[in-house]
């Protein structure tokens, strides 16, 4: 019996090992992953949809992004603060389409304004940081740069995502190594106030056969935990990318449609 079983076990193990060898993923470390994926999407455009959850709160965004090493251009709509808002990110500048109810505050009633995290105008001071992050967190190039600078590969393998063959990578982002380029609206001051309790943020990345992102998930539960929020609270940003290679005409609003809200 033993003589019969042993060859069978060896054959099964050999088949399993052969399958594992054939399932080797494309990238063995975080830097190679970031560099390879950046090269795969440079100059391409895709559609995206993003869900942001924090406990019972949820926000959704959708749009298109055109990726380039010099900077991603994107256009999107989001339900920021419960009201639809249109944003454009062009040459690292964020433009916001002012809601009809607030255009009386813009000289000439112009429909667009520039918004920045450190702007002096009332719009930027109230929501500039959040809006800036809303635009930039959908940029796959930025996520890859964060992986390149602060990522450690934890696990990788092959899977299927929405019916498509994919490679799945789990990483940890070292918050300290990110410097001032922190995700999800986090500021260096906020991280400092946590007294070193926030060390790493888990991230997951799925790639298609052409090394193009299918999904990026950033787990923000450690932020809540470091802030003393109960363990049951969940927070994450999930961005899904589709239609890589789509045509995307993304431009800044015409200059005559851009207004400036006076500093208050």
């Amino acid at each position: 019996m033993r003589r019969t079983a042993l060859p069978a076990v060896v054959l099964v193990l050999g088949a399993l090992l052969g399958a594992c060898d054939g399932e080797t993923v494309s990238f063995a470390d975080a830097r190679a992953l970031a560099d390879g994926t950046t090269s795969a999407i440079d100059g391409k455009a895709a559609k995206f949809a993003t869900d942001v959850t924090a406990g019972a709160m949820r926000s959704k965004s959708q749009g298109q992004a055109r990726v380039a090493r010099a900077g991603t251009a994107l256009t999107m709509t989001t339900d920021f603060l419960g009201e639809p808002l249109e944003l454009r990110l062009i040459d690292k500048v964020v433009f916001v389409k002012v809601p009809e109810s607030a255009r009386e505050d813009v000289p000439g009633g112009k429909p667009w304004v520039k918004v920045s995290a450190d702007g002096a105008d009332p719009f930027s001071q109230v929501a500039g940081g959040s809006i800036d992050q809303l635009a930039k967190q959908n940029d796959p190039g930025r996520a890859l740069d964060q992986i390149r600078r602060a990522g450690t590969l934890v696990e990788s393998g092959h899977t299927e995502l929405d019916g498509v063959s994919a490679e799945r990578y789990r990483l940890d982002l070292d918050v300290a190594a990110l410097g001032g380029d922190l995700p999800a609206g986090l500021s260096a001051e906020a991280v400092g106030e946590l007294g070193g309790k926030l060390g790493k943020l888990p991230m997951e990345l799925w790639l298609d056969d052409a090394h193009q992102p299918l999904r990026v998930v950033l787990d923000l539960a450690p932020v809540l935990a470091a802030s003393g929020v109960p363990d049951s609270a969940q927070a994450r940003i999930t961005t899904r990318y589709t239609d890589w290679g789509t045509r995307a005409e993304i431009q800044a609003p015409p200059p005559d449609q851009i207004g400036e809200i006076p500093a208050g």
Side-chain angles (χ1 to χ4, degrees):
M1 180 68 68
R2 288 182 181 177
R3 291 181 180 178
T4 303
L6 183 57
V9 171
V10 171
L11 287 173
V12 171
L13 289 175
L16 291 174
L17 289 172
C20 291
D21 290 340
E23 291 294 308
T24 302
V25 295
S26 301
F27 307 109
D29 59 64
R31 176 172 288 275
L33 169 62
D35 290 346
T37 307
T38 298
S39 296
I41 63 176
D42 186 32
K44 294 182 180 179
K47 298 176 182 178
F48 65 83
T50 299
D51 286 340
V52 180
T53 60
M57 298 179 61
R58 185 172 183 178
S59 176
K60 291 187 176 184
S61 306
Q62 53 278 321
Q64 290 183 314
R66 186 177 64 244
V67 184
R69 294 180 188 274
T72 293
L74 64 81
T75 179
M76 59 179 283
T77 56
T78 180
D79 56 359
F80 180 68
L81 298 179
E83 186 171 4
L85 199 64
E86 184 177 348
L87 311 177
R88 295 184 191 177
L89 175 64
I90 311 289
D91 294 330
K92 301 181 182 180
V93 177
V94 179
F95 299 90
V96 179
K97 194 167 188 179
V98 182
E100 294 280 357
S101 59
R103 286 188 190 172
E104 61 184 19
D105 297 327
V106 184
K110 294 185 178 181
W112 292 88
V113 294
K114 295 180 182 180
V115 174
S116 64
D118 56 358
D121 62 279
F123 201 169
S124 289
Q125 289 185 338
V126 171
S130 298
I131 290 175
D132 185 70
Q133 282 290 337
L134 275 172
K136 293 178 179 177
Q137 73 189 13
N138 294 292
D139 175 5
R142 184 190 183 206
L144 293 168
D145 186 54
Q146 290 172 336
I147 291 172
R148 182 181 294 107
R149 290 185 292 113
T152 299
L153 185 60
V154 176
E155 183 183 356
S156 61
H158 286 258
T159 185
E160 188 174 284
L161 182 66
D162 298 330
V164 176
S165 175
E167 291 182 357
R168 174 175 174 266
Y169 296 87
R170 290 182 56 242
L171 306 111
D172 281 338
L173 296 183
D174 185 343
V175 173
L178 287 172
D181 185 22
L182 296 166
L186 292 172
S187 66
E189 292 77 12
V191 172
E193 290 175 0
L194 295 177
K197 296 179 182 179
L198 182 60
K200 299 181 185 299
L201 294 177
M203 176 184 277
E204 292 181 272
L205 173 63
W206 286 260
L207 303 178
D208 64 15
D209 291 340
H211 304 153
Q212 301 167 144
L214 294 170
R215 185 179 299 178
V216 181
V217 178
L218 180 64
D219 187 354
L220 300 176
V223 178
L224 300 185
S227 304
V229 177
D231 294 339
S232 58
Q234 294 184 353
R236 63 180 55 195
I237 300 173
T238 302
T239 305
R240 297 170 176 83
Y241 294 96
T242 59
D243 299 323
W244 281 103
T246 189
R247 291 182 58 85
E249 298 296 330
I250 304 171
Q251 299 178 347
D256 62 357
Q257 294 186 24
I258 302 173
E260 183 175 344
I261 303 176

